[in-house]
Amino acid sequence: MTLHIDTVLSEVDAALENRRFAELKERLCGMEVADLADLLESVPSAKGLLLFRLLPKDTAIEVFEMMEGGHREELLAAFSDGEVAELMENMSDDDRTALFDEMPAKTVKKLLRLLSPEERTLANRLLDYADGTAGRVMTPEYVDLRVRMTVEEAIERIRRLAPSKETIYSCFVVDDTRRLVGVVELEELILVRAGTPVEEVMDDAPVSVATDTDQEEVARILSKYDRQALPVVDRQGLLVGIVTWDDVLDIVEEEATEDFHRMAGISPTEESYLETGILALARKRLTWLLICIVTETMTSSVLKGYSDALERMVALAFFIPLLIDTGGNAGTQAATLMIRGMTLGEIRKKDLFRVLSREVVTGLLLGGVLGLIALIRVSFMGLDGGVALTVALALVTVVSLGNLAGVCLPLIARLFRIDPAVMSGPFITTIVDVIGIMVYFEIAHLILGL
């Protein structure tokens, strides 16, 4: 059932106005954690603090973990040091690390001092891993089983550890040195005899990732092998944590948002749109707009170079917007397909020739159809047949070149360890604009003799 936030807000306001706190607490306790997070983000900070204090401890921690960064910081600012310490102490390690990533270093140092020595050591260890890696997003809250255990002993250990662990459905088997040697599902343990050795039930070739594996690659591997959790090992193969499917959902959302921003020519931002200041929004958009202005001067220079041809055949200017818009869009389409294929692992270096040949053929097909339409359009305008042929051939060429640019530029970016998403949108459009205009006037020179 979908929560109607306005209805709940009315109920909350009525209960607060009449000081029916017990009734309000009961109403809040009956709501889903995700809905409670939305509710607290929808009310002023003072009211949100009051509602938060009405929640049971375990529920409050879950709600806090699901809230957006800015709202969480408002709550922390209103808490006493003791309340902050209790909240930080009981948060899951991966969510706490994500929260620290969003905060200024000075604030993080203060929060770390409030943690117990054990939790502080753990938090510092996770923060030491590079941002965007498996080590940074993993959690050490997993169930580990010894290779020599029986199924009965394993189930008893799972039962004992379950309340404090992220997941119990996938359990990870280690040897006496804590080296990862296998993985076993809870379902498999339940279905076999109690005295069966765990070693006989486990998968002894577990899929794992290293602490320095890029988080995007972690998401791809977990999706490929359809796992609920992936073990994370250090350079010695020792088990140090796991990445769960809910962590991967956050990773996918973060990476998709970052790619959308880059493809639109916007520097990625950590905060949501409404939490980002206007000056920050302008600054993140301005960079690429300035780059576009600089690169578009190349287009102006090319047009100036062909000014004589334009003066002799003014009709050629009518179709410049058509050519550069079509070529730029074709390039962006190809780049989008290319970036998606590379991200999902569908396209590798060995596929380069195949991809190029496919895009050349696709470009010729698309350009041929568009060129035919342009030929008919120019003819209906009563212009010279040579102009019609020039526009048609230029469209075929520009669309084909746009496709090739859309394929090659993301590959070049990956080769230089740059995010391929940077090479789409405004960047490709600008490059195709310059090349398209040059091609257009060169074809006009050959056909019309300008």
Side-chain angles (χ1 to χ4, degrees):
M1 182 175 179
T2 304
L3 172 74
H4 296 286
I5 194 71
D6 292 336
T7 303
V8 177
L9 285 172
S10 299
E11 295 176 9
V12 168
D13 289 337
L16 288 175
E17 185 177 347
N18 294 289
R19 305 184 68 81
R20 299 196 304 268
F21 297 115
E23 178 184 323
L24 179 56
K25 182 175 182 178
E26 184 179 352
R27 176 70 175 94
L28 294 176
C29 291
M31 293 173 60
E32 293 289 338
V33 172
D35 293 333
L36 283 169
D38 287 341
L39 175 64
L40 265 63
E41 291 174 352
S42 303
V43 298
S45 55
K47 187 182 293 184
L49 178 62
L50 175 58
L51 297 178
F52 189 82
R53 292 187 188 280
L54 289 174
L55 298 173
K57 175 183 171 182
D58 291 344
T59 304
I61 293 169
E62 290 184 57
V63 170
F64 186 81
E65 290 176 345
M66 295 197 70
M67 293 175 69
E68 294 293 333
H71 297 284
R72 292 193 295 194
E73 290 181 37
E74 287 180 2
L75 284 177
L76 288 176
F79 290 159
S80 66
D81 284 353
E83 289 174 317
V84 173
E86 183 179 18
L87 192 60
M88 293 292 103
E89 195 83 14
N90 288 283
M91 284 184 72
S92 63
D93 300 298
D94 52 341
D95 286 326
R96 186 172 58 203
T97 303
L99 174 64
F100 287 169
D101 278 340
E102 298 169 1
M103 292 182 162
K106 185 176 180 181
T107 305
V108 173
K109 288 181 180 178
K110 177 184 175 182
L111 294 177
L112 285 171
R113 285 198 296 268
L114 297 175
L115 294 174
S116 65
E118 296 80 8
E119 290 295 329
R120 189 185 308 125
T121 300
L122 181 56
N124 278 319
R125 192 176 79 207
L126 291 176
L127 288 170
D128 280 341
Y129 291 112
D131 189 25
T133 61
R136 196 62 170 262
V137 299
M138 72 180 182
T139 174
E141 297 170 356
Y142 57 87
V143 176
D144 58 332
L145 305 175
R146 296 291 179 177
V147 69
R148 302 185 189 282
M149 281 182 172
T150 64
V151 167
E152 183 179 13
E153 291 171 333
I155 292 176
E156 178 57 33
R157 178 171 173 79
I158 293 170
R159 186 179 292 115
R160 188 172 67 255
L161 297 178
S164 62
K165 300 306 177 183
E166 185 89 3
T167 180
I168 61 172
Y169 301 108
S170 294
C171 303
F172 304 93
V173 186
V174 296
D175 61 17
D176 294 337
T177 64
R178 297 204 55 76
R179 186 180 301 275
L180 178 68
V181 294
V183 62
V184 61
E185 301 298 321
L186 178 60
E187 180 183 4
E188 296 170 335
L189 293 173
I190 294 173
L191 294 177
V192 299
R193 289 183 300 104
T196 305
V198 168
E199 190 173 10
E200 292 184 10
V201 186
M202 72 180 189
D203 175 4
D204 60 2
V207 178
S208 64
V209 293
T211 52
D212 58 355
T213 302
D214 186 88
Q215 63 177 19
E216 197 169 351
E217 178 68 7
V218 173
R220 189 189 68 80
I221 292 173
L222 190 138
S223 174
K224 177 181 178 180
Y225 293 100
D226 195 23
R227 297 287 195 268
Q228 293 188 17
L230 275 179
V232 182
V233 298
D234 62 15
R235 293 180 180 178
Q236 287 75 44
L238 305 183
L239 181 63
V240 293
I242 63 171
V243 178
T244 56
W245 64 270
D246 55 325
D247 297 323
V248 166
L249 287 179
D250 293 336
I251 291 170
V252 169
E253 181 182 0
E254 178 185 331
E255 294 289 345
T257 301
E258 185 176 305
D259 285 348
F260 282 139
H261 284 167
R262 293 191 188 282
M263 291 173 73
I266 303 172
S267 300
T269 175
E270 295 291 334
E271 298 83 12
S272 65
Y273 172 77
L274 292 177
E275 290 181 346
T276 306
I278 293 177
L279 289 177
L281 281 174
R283 187 176 67 253
K284 290 181 179 297
R285 296 184 187 184
L286 182 62
T287 303
W288 271 103
L289 291 176
L290 289 174
I291 292 173
C292 285
I293 286 179
V294 172
T295 52
E296 282 295 346
T297 57
M298 297 168 60
T299 306
S300 303
S301 300
V302 171
L303 283 172
K304 183 179 179 181
Y306 289 101
S307 58
D308 291 341
L310 277 174
E311 289 175 4
R312 279 180 281 170
M313 184 67 73
V314 177
L316 291 176
F318 300 162
F319 306 101
I320 291 177
L322 169 68
L323 287 166
I324 61 178
D325 287 348
T326 305
N329 286 334
T332 301
Q333 288 176 344
T336 301
L337 293 173
M338 188 69 183
I339 292 168
R340 182 183 183 277
M342 291 167 64
T343 301
L344 297 178
E346 298 172 350
I347 299 175
R348 300 182 178 87
K349 292 180 181 178
K350 65 178 182 179
D351 301 315
L352 177 59
F353 179 76
R354 186 181 175 192
V355 171
L356 287 174
S357 60
R358 286 170 63 88
E359 286 303 319
V360 168
V361 174
T362 302
L364 290 173
L365 287 173
L366 292 173
V369 172
L370 295 174
L372 181 61
I373 294 172
L375 193 66
I376 297 171
R377 178 187 173 189
V378 176
S379 299
F380 272 108
M381 291 175 68
L383 296 174
D384 182 78
V387 174
L389 183 59
T390 298
V391 174
L393 289 177
L395 262 177
V396 174
T397 307
V398 168
V399 170
S400 299
L401 289 173
N403 276 11
L404 288 176
V407 168
C408 294
L409 288 176
L411 282 173
I412 293 172
R414 178 64 62 86
L415 186 64
F416 287 97
R417 300 185 182 280
I418 301 172
D419 188 343
V422 173
M423 294 297 185
S424 65
F427 194 82
I428 285 180
T429 301
T430 301
I431 295 225
V432 175
D433 284 356
V434 174
I435 296 175
I437 290 173
M438 294 175 64
V439 167
Y440 180 40
F441 283 106
E442 289 302 319
I443 291 176
H445 175 71
L446 291 174
I447 294 177
L448 302 174
L450 298 176

